Amino acid sequence: MKKSKIWIHVCVHLLLCITLGVYSSKLDVNPVTDDIARLSVLRQNIPKDYRIPVEYIPKEEGGMCWVKLNLFNLERSLDDLSQKFGNISSNRKDISIFIQMLQEVRINMGSLEMIMLDFQCHYRTEKWQTAQYFDFVKDFFVAAKNREYSDDCDPPPCPTTTSQTVTTHEPRVLSEMMERSLLSLLFIPLLVLAFLLVWKQVRSRRNREDLQQNPGNGGLLVGTEVTALPLNGEMSEKNHLNVIETV
């Protein structure tokens, strides 16, 4: 019985050693292969002036956590880039190789959500030309292959947005103020012109109404002049007759 128990313990230890050895060998395997040399070919197949969107954290802010912080976003960026090519395109096949390597690296690193949330205020979103983009991809794979990353990541303080908003929005605010002042200066003569036109129309309308209400003023004046003439004539004739009679 003692011998059987001893053999059982030996077998259990052997199985544990084998499983731990296989698991540790899997962890020691680096998923980043020498296929990163194909990045130069992929870089030449894409136009130089093509803009590729990427969300990233610079090395000076990420430190030893730079690889972990940029892993997920780089994988998503490469996946979006692969969708630009057809299914039989060599570029899409090459990009799929790098995406697979990134997925294996991400599996070995475990969950990255917490560290990404800690560094959320440091992420930047830009569009890079082909050369700059693939230089970034190459630097990432080299760092991942050399295991230049750590599990202890302390985020630096978030950048203050006050100075950035003042410097970026101040020229825009000034230009908007200038545009509003110019528009106000343009509206002033327009308002004056409109006021003059309205005043002129009101005045002409009042003159017409006055003429319609007093249509006989002009006729009465003419009538008085006409009737005055015979009276003057009669008076002159009477005077003339009086002179004749005296003579």
Side-chain angles (χ1 to χ4, degrees):
M1 293 293 295
K2 291 183 178 179
K3 291 183 179 180
S4 61
K5 289 182 179 180
I6 293 173
W7 280 108
I8 291 173
H9 286 295
V10 170
C11 292
V12 169
H13 283 295
L14 285 174
L15 290 174
L16 287 174
C17 291
I18 291 172
T19 53
L20 291 174
V22 171
Y23 182 72
S24 61
S25 64
K26 287 184 179 180
L27 292 178
D28 291 336
V29 172
N30 197 327
V32 181
T33 62
D34 294 332
D35 289 331
I36 57 176
R38 299 175 65 87
L39 286 172
S40 60
V41 179
L42 186 61
R43 175 177 176 175
Q44 294 176 358
N45 292 338
I46 299 176
K48 296 180 180 179
D49 57 349
Y50 185 73
R51 295 280 182 174
I52 305 173
V54 60
E55 187 176 1
Y56 74 104
I57 288 182
K59 284 185 177 181
E60 57 270 16
E61 296 182 10
M64 290 301 295
C65 304
W66 181 74
V67 173
K68 290 186 175 182
L69 294 171
N70 291 290
L71 174 58
F72 178 77
N73 290 327
L74 181 58
E75 179 184 342
R76 184 174 59 181
S77 177
L78 286 172
D79 185 61
D80 294 338
L81 182 61
S82 67
Q83 301 300 323
K84 307 297 182 182
F85 304 99
N87 294 328
I88 60 175
S89 174
S90 59
N91 293 334
R92 187 165 186 173
K93 292 180 180 179
D94 292 338
I95 294 174
S96 64
I97 295 174
F98 300 125
I99 293 175
Q100 185 177 359
M101 282 193 288
L102 291 174
Q103 290 175 350
E104 293 177 359
V105 172
R106 181 160 52 85
I107 292 173
N108 291 335
M109 287 185 178
S111 178
L112 302 174
E113 294 180 358
M114 293 303 299
I115 185 174
M116 291 180 67
L117 288 175
D118 293 338
F119 284 80
Q120 187 175 7
C121 61
H122 297 281
Y123 280 96
R124 305 179 186 179
T125 302
E126 297 180 3
K127 287 185 177 181
W128 289 342
Q129 290 185 350
T130 304
Q132 183 180 4
Y133 179 80
F134 282 104
D135 287 341
F136 175 81
V137 176
K138 184 178 180 180
D139 292 341
F140 178 88
F141 278 112
V142 170
K145 185 176 182 180
N146 297 330
R147 301 186 182 223
E148 298 177 0
Y149 51 86
S150 174
D151 294 332
D152 188 11
C153 301
D154 294 327
C158 292
T160 56
T161 57
T162 55
S163 60
Q164 294 180 358
T165 53
V166 169
T167 55
T168 54
H169 293 289
E170 185 176 1
R172 186 178 300 173
V173 171
L174 290 175
S175 63
E176 290 179 356
M177 291 176 63
M178 290 293 293
E179 290 178 359
R180 290 178 181 177
S181 61
L182 290 175
L183 288 174
S184 61
L185 292 175
L186 290 174
F187 277 126
I188 291 173
L190 292 176
L191 291 174
V192 173
L193 181 61
F195 175 77
L196 291 175
L197 291 174
V198 172
W199 179 76
K200 188 176 181 181
Q201 290 179 358
V202 171
R203 187 176 179 182
S204 61
R205 185 178 297 175
R206 286 181 179 177
N207 293 332
R208 291 177 183 175
E209 291 177 354
D210 292 339
L211 290 174
Q212 290 177 0
Q213 291 178 0
N214 301 315
N217 290 335
L220 291 173
L221 292 174
V222 175
T224 54
E225 292 178 357
V226 173
T227 55
L229 286 176
L231 291 173
N232 293 331
E234 291 176 358
M235 291 298 293
S236 61
E237 290 179 355
K238 288 178 180 180
N239 293 330
H240 182 66
L241 293 173
N242 291 328
V243 171
I244 294 173
E245 288 179 355
T246 56
V247 175

